[in-house]
Amino acid sequence: MRCVVFGATGYLGGRLVPELLRAGHQVRAVARDPGKLAEVPWRDSAEIVPGDVLDPGSVDEAMRGQEVVYYLVHSLNRRDFVALDREAARTVARAAAEAGVRRIVYLGGITPAGERLSPHLASRAEVGEILLASGVPTAVLRAAIILGSGSASFEMLRHLTERLPAMVTPRWVRNRIQPIAVRDVLHYLVRAAELPPEVSRGFDIAGPDVLTYLAMMRRYAVVARLPRRVVLPVPVLTPWLSAQWVNLVTPVPNSIAVPLIESLVHEVVQQDKDIAAHIPDPPGGLTRYERAIELALARIRDADVPTRWSDAGDPADPLPTDPEWSGGTRYLDVRERHTPAEAETVWRVIEAIGGEHGWYSFPLAWSVRGWIDRLAGGAGLRRGRRDPRRLRAGEALDWWRVEHLERPRLLRLRAELRVPGRAWLELSVTPADSGGSVYRQRAIFEPHGLAGHLYWKSVAPFHAVVFGGMARNITGTAERRPSS
């Protein structure tokens, strides 16, 4: 069938597209910035088109000629995510009805009956209701925690367990949860395209194990071969306080930790198993909890994580080409060095920057700046890298996002720090006519109001150490490496 995927740059969307292709479907992947999909392995097998779920015209164009719509978009990084998701769902529902598509498939969250829902769960439920009311046959799949390398839920679980051998925890760690492996979620999503038109409803999907979050942490420790974790639940830690702790200890920022933990306050267990009457279990059965953890950790060890939660941009984020509020002001810090190292050798150092390799200058300053950003609810340095050697346009890299990649010449990173403006770091290398190569580095800042101008002037005195040291150390590292 002809399938259009909204949210193709997201954690699940980026994994769903190749699964649909393997199932024999034609796929149109929609992205606000198609450049983010320039490096994905399936780019030549799918049709990649620009589209914004908040822009009715682009949604109409993306729907044209399609049979199945996959809607995998959320706006959790925004405080007004409820209103944004409502508007986007209405736009997609209207366009699907007018385009005459055969089915909509949406992934939401399991909602406990008879309880007051968190804003996160309530918004997911509302989006499902809007799509079901479109008049188009709709399958709303509802899942609890998704276990897979790179998922926000898994990263929170992993870092809490690995970094805290003993912890004081809130009462919600004793609530029951029924997690599901990401491979099983993808199985249900792909097969949902084949449901008959008379099936238009919601389904809970879940793995075979019902656990408390406490049990999940302890079983994770066993699989990861860690000592037994000591956990002391106390009643005074609210979801908000818990989220601040998660923000400090794990790579998951406050904007995502808060809705995740608010959802865990409820018991999220599969309430109906009707999905089995319409979609059979995956070959070999649903994935047990320990096996899901083993698979996720294996992918991380092998640096084979196809998508991560942090790689998804917010649907309302400004594109790099959007007009901005800088009033035409742009601050620059430019460094250029000639090096006897070959351009390809310098490029290998550039593309491996960040994560475990660091930023080649004043590590303490980078760490302190990362912690300041974490305390402010930002990304900090904890997101790391997906792969230790190769980058992909659109993915997260510590507190940066890969905005543009021209291998083996140019890497441009956009900062996702909490700063009064927008910032980029551009690293490039070109062969030199006289031999060797020329390394060029630009730090770019567009200030937002007076605070932005004051921010740049306050940090400018440190640029000689930070950016100057980076240029020297990158070229120095390349010079010490053997030529390719």
Side-chain angles (χ1 to χ4, degrees):
M1 287 179 279
R2 297 184 301 278
C3 304
V4 56
V5 178
F6 289 90
T9 58
Y11 174 73
L12 277 171
R15 298 189 182 210
L16 175 63
V17 170
E19 293 298 320
L20 290 170
L21 291 169
R22 274 192 282 271
H25 300 302
Q26 300 175 41
V27 181
R28 177 179 292 170
V30 184
R32 293 187 73 244
D33 179 8
K36 289 184 176 182
L37 300 176
E39 294 290 319
V40 296
W42 43 264
R43 62 187 178 277
D44 295 328
S45 302
E47 179 187 6
I48 298 174
V49 301
D52 181 347
V53 291
L54 296 173
D55 175 14
S58 67
V59 173
D60 291 341
E61 187 63 29
M63 294 272 192
R64 185 168 290 119
Q66 301 302 296
E67 296 174 280
V68 181
V69 174
Y70 282 94
Y71 186 64
L72 304 171
V73 177
H74 301 292
S75 311
L76 282 185
N77 288 322
R78 294 283 297 263
R79 290 188 177 184
D80 55 347
F81 72 89
V82 173
L84 285 174
D85 280 351
R86 180 185 301 124
E87 178 186 351
R90 288 173 175 168
T91 299
V92 170
R94 174 203 54 79
E98 293 179 358
V101 302
R102 292 169 47 183
R103 174 159 297 281
I104 299 173
V105 182
Y106 168 68
L107 181 69
I110 291 178
T111 53
E115 294 187 31
R116 182 178 179 181
L117 301 178
S118 67
H120 168 59
L121 279 181
S123 175
R124 303 281 291 271
E126 182 186 23
V127 169
E129 291 167 0
I130 292 170
L131 298 175
L132 283 166
S134 65
V136 177
T138 299
V140 174
L141 305 181
R142 300 182 294 251
I145 285 179
I146 296 176
L147 299 173
S149 58
S151 79
S153 298
F154 177 77
E155 288 300 302
M156 188 172 89
L157 172 71
R158 178 166 79 100
H159 285 84
L160 283 175
T161 309
E162 291 185 354
R163 293 177 175 172
L164 299 174
M167 63 191 94
V168 176
T169 58
R171 285 181 297 182
W172 56 258
V173 299
R174 296 194 182 278
N175 289 347
R176 296 186 308 152
I177 304 163
Q178 196 165 357
I180 183 170
V182 66
R183 54 165 49 189
D184 294 342
V185 174
L186 294 170
H187 166 78
Y188 285 123
L189 286 170
V190 172
R191 294 297 300 271
E194 305 165 8
L195 291 171
E198 63 270 17
V199 177
S200 185
R201 52 163 293 187
F203 296 98
D204 289 351
I205 59 172
D209 300 298
V210 178
L211 306 163
T212 65
Y213 204 86
L214 175 59
M216 288 172 60
M217 288 191 288
R218 285 179 169 162
R219 291 196 187 189
Y220 177 97
V222 172
V223 175
R225 299 181 180 178
L226 301 171
R228 180 179 172 85
R229 271 27 198 167
V230 178
V231 179
L232 176 63
V234 296
V236 295
L237 288 178
T238 65
W240 185 86
L241 285 173
S242 301
Q244 311 316 308
W245 181 242
V246 169
N247 176 55
L248 288 175
V249 176
T250 81
V252 181
N254 194 52
S255 59
I256 293 178
V258 169
L260 279 179
I261 289 177
E262 284 180 342
S263 299
L264 294 174
V265 171
H266 308 287
E267 289 205 333
V268 279
V269 176
Q270 187 179 29
Q271 298 171 57
D272 74 73
K273 299 183 179 181
D274 296 351
I275 189 68
H278 300 276
I279 298 177
D281 289 347
L286 292 165
T287 309
R288 302 303 299 252
Y289 175 79
E290 282 83 359
R291 179 59 177 158
I293 298 298
E294 289 173 356
L295 291 168
L297 291 177
R299 277 194 176 272
I300 292 169
R301 283 194 301 270
D302 297 340
D304 184 26
V305 182
T307 62
R308 298 188 301 167
W309 63 270
S310 53
D311 296 341
D314 191 280
D317 278 349
L319 288 173
T321 54
D322 287 348
E324 269 298 333
W325 17 246
S326 64
T329 301
R330 175 174 286 188
Y331 292 110
L332 296 173
D333 182 281
V334 180
R335 313 277 167 169
E336 189 171 291
R337 292 180 67 86
H338 184 279
T339 172
E342 295 180 359
E344 290 186 8
T345 305
V346 177
W347 175 256
R348 288 200 299 272
V349 178
I350 290 173
E351 193 171 1
I353 199 167
E356 295 181 359
H357 297 133
W359 292 88
Y360 294 96
S361 71
F362 206 174
L364 178 61
W366 286 88
S367 297
V368 170
R369 186 63 185 89
W371 273 105
I372 291 172
D373 194 56
R374 296 292 293 177
L375 291 170
L381 289 172
R382 291 276 172 91
R383 296 190 303 193
R385 295 178 54 109
R386 177 188 56 85
D387 182 289
R389 292 174 296 277
R390 287 180 68 85
L391 292 172
R392 202 162 64 191
E395 73 173 300
L397 172 60
D398 289 331
W399 69 51
W400 306 91
R401 187 166 299 278
V402 180
E403 185 175 271
H404 188 69
L405 180 65
E406 290 182 28
R407 188 180 290 113
R409 190 187 71 83
L410 172 69
L411 170 65
R412 184 165 65 244
L413 306 172
R414 172 166 52 87
E416 295 188 338
L417 287 166
R418 297 296 181 93
V419 292
R422 292 204 296 169
W424 293 265
L425 178 62
E426 191 175 84
L427 314 176
S428 64
V429 61
T430 54
D433 294 337
S434 56
S437 59
V438 176
Y439 169 79
R440 192 163 188 260
Q441 175 182 295
R442 292 199 308 160
I444 309 161
F445 184 70
E446 290 183 354
H448 185 183
L450 177 62
H453 293 276
L454 294 176
Y455 172 80
W456 176 265
K457 294 182 185 301
S458 68
V459 298
F462 303 99
H463 286 173
V465 175
V466 175
F467 293 129
M470 178 184 291
R472 289 191 301 273
N473 293 330
I474 285 177
T475 53
T477 300
E479 289 163 12
R480 292 190 294 273
R481 290 187 175 183
S483 300
S484 58

